Amino acid sequence: MTYDPTGHMLLTPIDKDAPARVARMRELGLGEQPDPAFDEFAHRLAEVTGAPFSMVNFIDENRQFFAGLHTPAGMHSGSDLGATAAAGGSGGVGRFMARDHGYCPHVVVRRKALVLEDVCDYPRFAGNPVVDEIGIRSYMGAPLIDRTGVALGTICVVDTDVRPWGRAGLETIKGMAAELMEQINRREDGLR
């Protein structure tokens, strides 16, 4: 767990399920390399929500891995989401982010969707490193809970502007998470 030394607020939740999640991801072959199908899904998620950044994110004990990633075309500057993440293998936008950055670890531990129209409205989330380092102002994510009950990761969208996602946004992100889990389940069935 991580505490903000000035406010003593819990910034990164305790994740007791990480070992089971890592074992399940290995079983499914997820969380180690980019996947064109997940990139395509992230692109569609960005189109549906109108968000400039979207991810299919798998989380282990120490880091987050964007197996699917959509960023605005041509934006790979210091303000780009991937600028603070480790560089990807091809020198492009990074696919890794520390576990204490962002809001997806909260979604995985809570096992519920999270909508932050303006992260600065929530003291618990306003102190997250992605606010100052990347400029994130708005977040919406939903957990990817597989058929065994393990929360593998999330799908999420972020924006550098405040976004009124509302109830419709919440329903959209939850519906798309269910759709992606169906795709992952079909993939697993094909492996058997």
Side-chain angles (χ1 to χ4, degrees), residues 167-180:
R167 170 67 75 194
L170 174 64
E171 296 306 319
T172 297
I173 198 84
K174 288 166 53 176
M176 291 198 71
E179 179 183 323
L180 184 59

Side-chain angles (χ1 to χ4, degrees), residues 17-162:
D17 297 331
R21 179 172 44 264
V22 170
R24 182 68 174 138
M25 287 190 313
R26 280 194 189 117
E27 194 178 306
L28 296 170
L30 300 173
E32 292 294 323
Q33 55 191 342
D35 186 312
F38 293 153
D39 281 341
E40 183 179 314
F41 185 90
H43 177 73
R44 193 162 62 82
L45 179 61
E47 283 184 335
V48 167
T49 61
F53 301 95
S54 63
M55 287 75 77
V56 175
N57 186 7
F58 296 106
I59 302 171
D60 67 21
E61 293 103 328
N62 303 306
R63 68 180 188 184
Q64 302 175 67
F65 175 69
F66 306 133
L69 178 64
H70 171 83
T71 63
M75 269 189 65
H76 300 293
S77 67
S79 66
D80 195 333
L81 176 70
T84 63
S90 64
V93 173
R95 296 264 181 175
F96 298 95
M97 184 178 283
R99 193 178 164 281
D100 67 346
H101 281 56
Y103 310 105
C104 290
H106 294 272
V107 172
V108 166
V109 170
R110 290 169 23 127
R111 302 172 58 86
K112 290 175 27 178
L114 177 64
V115 176
L116 303 171
E117 294 180 344
D118 183 349
V119 298
C120 295
D121 286 345
Y122 303 89
R124 178 179 185 179
F125 297 118
N128 195 285
V130 298
V131 176
D132 292 332
E133 294 175 17
I134 305 173
I136 299 302
R137 285 296 301 270
S138 183
Y139 170 90
M140 181 169 59
L144 295 170
I145 300 174
D146 83 343
R147 60 176 60 150
T148 68
V150 173
L152 302 171
T154 68
I155 62 167
C156 69
V157 294
V158 297
D159 201 333
T160 55
D161 293 320
V162 173

